[in-house]
Amino acid sequence: MTNPQQMLADLQWQIDMGADEVIGEEALLSVWKELTPKAHVKTEEHTQAEATPSAPLPFARQAPLPAAPPITAAPPRVAAQTLEALREEVGKFEGCALRTTAMNLVFADGNPQSPIMFIGEAPGEEEDRQGKPFVGASGKLLDQMLAAAGMLRSDIYITNILFWRPPGNRTPTDAEIASCIPFVERHIALIKPKILVFLGGVSTKSMLNTKEGITRLRGKWASYTPEGQTPIPCLPIFHPSYLLRQPSAKRQAWNDLLTLKNHLKDNNILINKE
């Protein structure tokens, strides 16, 4: 009989890893069969073994992830009027305790004059080490995706919802996101992009204030209105790190990039290449 506490632990593990919606029993069963060690596959020879305490399930979290650090201050009132001033404000901000566990502040990369602004989730290990967004495995995949669409990293501007890496690359908490959102909003207002691209569910949900999952929102144009400015078209797409785990979704991601490319062409939006 399945242990209810073990089931709750498994579910919490999936939430911590960023799962935000059910995708169907059949697909999950398929993945389970592929990833489950033979020792855990039920056969007639294992009937007797079921009478003894079973080993932890393959998906069970063996050790708890690092706890989310507490928020030490209320969300800030951002006064920066330039990117340099904004970076300085973020560096001095003490309202998100992730800064105490991260190696470096990860602010942005790319061309600030670009008409396209990409916003991801949070820095990973390599980003934390280098102090630049999207320089790890997911960043390399993003570069390949951009190249396939006829763009370079220097053609876009890219940042994250969070400016510091969460311990263990865990999913950001609502409090951590809330503490950084005012900086992100001012970031957008200063860049004044003509198009926003949200990479992944955390970025999309945070900026569009929605609870819908990325699988339902990806590839569909929405609108974001920054402070004191006109609405900006925005396109949610899969995060490159998700594509590394689910290569089968790359076809959808490619279709989304074509949607972006066609929008640029149809609206005569030129990419500045350096």
Side-chain angles (χ1 to χ4, degrees):
M1 182 175 180
T2 303
N3 187 331
Q5 293 182 345
Q6 183 63 65
M7 294 176 65
L8 288 174
D10 294 342
L11 178 59
Q12 184 60 53
W13 183 89
Q14 294 181 52
I15 294 174
D16 291 338
M17 290 298 99
D20 58 13
E21 57 186 308
V22 177
I23 61 175
E25 180 179 353
E26 183 176 350
L28 290 174
L29 180 59
S30 175
V31 173
W32 174 264
K33 289 181 178 179
E34 292 180 4
L35 297 182
T36 302
K38 293 182 178 179
H40 294 285
V41 177
K42 183 178 180 181
T43 63
E44 293 182 0
E45 291 76 12
H46 293 84
T47 302
Q48 183 176 0
E50 291 181 348
T52 61
S54 59
L57 295 174
F59 289 146
R61 189 174 61 198
Q62 299 303 310
L65 291 175
I71 299 299
T72 59
R77 293 182 179 180
V78 186
Q81 297 300 315
T82 66
L83 287 179
E84 293 75 14
L86 180 63
R87 184 186 182 99
E88 185 176 350
E89 279 197 51
V90 173
K92 293 179 179 179
F93 180 56
E94 297 182 352
C96 182
L98 289 178
R99 59 175 297 174
T100 64
T101 59
M103 295 176 60
N104 287 298
L105 163 69
V106 181
F107 186 70
D109 192 25
N111 180 7
Q113 305 302 320
S114 173
I116 308 177
M117 184 175 185
F118 282 64
I119 301 179
E121 176 180 320
E125 182 177 3
E126 192 61 32
E127 289 77 13
D128 185 30
R129 183 177 293 110
Q130 296 189 33
K132 292 176 60 177
F134 288 88
V135 292
S138 62
K140 292 178 181 178
L141 178 56
L142 178 61
D143 289 345
Q144 295 173 2
M145 294 165 61
L146 291 172
M151 291 181 281
L152 301 175
R153 179 180 286 252
S154 59
D155 296 329
I156 69 167
Y157 187 76
I158 188 166
T159 186
N160 282 306
I161 293 292
L162 295 187
F163 300 97
W164 300 275
R165 178 197 180 197
N169 290 348
R170 61 165 172 74
T171 301
T173 66
D174 291 342
E176 289 164 351
I177 293 172
S179 69
C180 292
I181 281 293
F183 292 113
V184 179
E185 292 174 340
R186 180 55 59 89
H187 210 161
I188 296 172
L190 291 173
I191 293 297
K192 296 182 175 65
K194 294 183 179 179
I195 298 174
L196 285 167
V197 178
F198 299 140
L199 296 166
V202 170
S203 175
T204 300
K205 292 178 180 180
S206 301
M207 300 310 300
L208 295 182
N209 192 26
T210 179
K211 294 183 178 181
E212 283 198 83
I214 185 63
T215 54
R216 291 186 176 90
L217 296 174
R218 53 145 289 272
K220 300 176 182 178
W221 287 102
S223 180
Y224 170 81
T225 304
E227 51 184 277
Q229 297 182 21
T230 57
I232 301 174
C234 51
L235 183 68
I237 68 175
F238 285 135
H239 195 287
S241 62
Y242 173 79
L243 299 177
L244 290 174
R245 300 190 303 269
Q246 299 288 342
S248 61
K250 288 183 178 180
R251 176 177 296 182
Q252 293 171 304
W254 171 242
N255 289 334
D256 296 343
L257 286 176
L258 290 180
T259 298
L260 173 62
K261 188 174 182 179
N262 291 334
H263 182 90
L264 293 172
K265 181 179 179 180
D266 294 343
N267 291 274
N268 295 317
I269 299 176
L270 300 179
I271 301 296
N272 296 320
K273 295 190 176 182
E274 301 177 348

